[in-house]
Each structure stands twice: as structure tokens, then as C-alpha cells.
């Protein structure tokens, strides 16, 4: 199944529309940087739900690039959950950065 976003609304589309070169379906939604670490949340446009017991499409993914949580990811069914997940993961990454900076100052390194 293929989808696009209309605001926060998920809209199912045909394969012909999905393959059209005039339309971009996958897109970044939120991006946050914490020093060298980046947290990115995207809309994937293709259903990534491989659970045969669930009909709800998984269309959003948040991933961490760099740092202690490099390659950490979570996936979501809805825009609102993706937005909440992005904020939560940013807090997790930022807390690590704050704790690291505090420890470096204690050691006289920073």
C-alpha cells in the first residue's frame, strides 16, 4: 500500500500515482541537531507494517544519527505519534549530551 500526507492526514494512493515522477511522497517531517547528533523523523509513504495481525500501516520513522544512540529508531502509525516520538527521542538524546558535558566539566576537560 502507498500513501501520501495531506497536512497531517494520511491518504491512500494508487501505485500509478505513487510512481508518478511529479509527486514526492516520502519526506522529512522533523529534524533536530544536538552537536554532532541528528534526530530525524520522516514520512515513509510505503507501509512498513509487516505484522500479519495488524491492518494499521506504519508510515513514520524517527531515527538517531551519531552519538551514543546511533541507529536507534522507532516507527509509528500516525502523524501525532511520530511528532510525540520525535520530541521524546530528542529529550533522550539531549539528556545524554547534557550528562556528558557535565561529566567532562567535572573532569576538567570542557
Amino acid at each position: 500500500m502507498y500513501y501520501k500526507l495531506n497536512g497531517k492526514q494520511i491518504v491512500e494512493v494508487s501505485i500509478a500515482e505513487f510512481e508518478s515522477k511529479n509527486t514526492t511522497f516520502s519526506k522529512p517531517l522533523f529534524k533536530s541537531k544536538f552537536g554532532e547528533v541528528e534526530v530525524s523523523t520522516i514520512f515513509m509513504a510505503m507501509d512498513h507494517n509487516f505484522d500479519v495481525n495488524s491492518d494499521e500501516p506504519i508510515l513514520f520513522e524517527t531515527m538517531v544519527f551519531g552519538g551514543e544512540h546511533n541507529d536507534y529508531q522507532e516507527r509509528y502509525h500516525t502523524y501525532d505519534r511520530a511528532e510525540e516520538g520525535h520530541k521524546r527521542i530528542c529529550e533522550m538524546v539531549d539528556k545524554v549530551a547534557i550528562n556528558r558535558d557535565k561529566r567532562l566539566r567535572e573532569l576538567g576537560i570542557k
Side-chain angles (χ1 to χ4, degrees):
M1 297 296 236
Y2 303 97
Y3 301 86
K4 68 179 180 179
L5 274 180
N6 184 6
K8 293 184 177 184
Q9 194 76 318
I10 298 167
V11 179
E12 191 172 329
V13 298
S14 69
I15 191 166
E17 186 176 356
F18 179 77
E19 291 176 344
S20 166
K21 303 232 184 288
N22 299 326
T23 310
T24 301
F25 291 97
S26 297
K27 63 181 179 179
L29 299 175
F30 312 107
K31 191 179 281 190
S32 303
K33 286 205 60 121
F34 301 89
E36 298 299 314
V37 179
E38 184 174 297
V39 178
S40 177
T41 299
I42 63 169
F43 174 72
M44 298 186 287
M46 290 176 52
D47 184 5
H48 285 70
N49 187 355
F50 304 111
D51 181 355
V52 295
N53 297 316
S54 173
D55 292 336
E56 197 171 13
I58 295 177
L59 299 169
F60 303 89
E61 178 183 78
T62 299
M63 192 160 186
V64 177
F65 300 95
E68 188 172 315
H69 297 288
N70 187 45
D71 291 335
Y72 178 81
Q73 67 173 310
E74 291 184 8
R75 291 182 172 174
Y76 318 96
H77 299 285
T78 68
Y79 184 100
D80 289 338
R81 287 205 178 164
E83 188 172 28
E84 291 167 10
H86 183 88
K87 289 176 185 175
R88 185 175 32 74
I89 291 172
C90 284
E91 289 171 5
M92 175 183 76
V93 168
D94 195 31
K95 184 173 189 219
V96 167
I98 290 169
N99 290 343
R100 183 181 302 115
D101 286 347
K102 179 181 175 189
R103 185 67 180 135
L104 289 174
R105 281 193 300 279
E106 290 170 356
L107 295 170
I109 297 170
K110 189 170 184 175

